[in-house]
Amino acid sequence: MIIESIEIEMDIKAVLGELDTAIETTLQQWGEPLRWAITAVDRETNIAQIEAIVIRE
């Protein structure tokens, strides 16, 4: 088991449905999310920066 800190960018305008569910689903590509936070949003492009801690096997 490896605990890793990651940063991703995500287009939040393209999200259909609940934002938190979409973020967690996206983070599962890197492992099981323990915690995450939106740290910045570019209002012109609707790109959010997300920092997360994930567990991967």
Side-chain angles (χ1 to χ4, degrees), residues 9-50:
E9 290 185 348
M10 185 173 174
D11 182 357
I12 58 175
K13 189 174 184 179
V15 172
L16 301 174
E18 297 291 322
L19 181 59
D20 59 336
T21 303
I23 292 170
E24 289 180 7
T25 300
T26 301
L27 289 172
Q28 287 180 354
Q29 296 175 29
W30 289 273
E32 183 64 31
L34 288 177
R35 67 174 182 82
W36 56 266
I38 298 173
T39 57
V41 176
D42 183 330
R43 291 183 184 211
E44 292 179 14
T45 62
N46 290 316
I47 300 293
Q49 291 181 330
I50 301 163

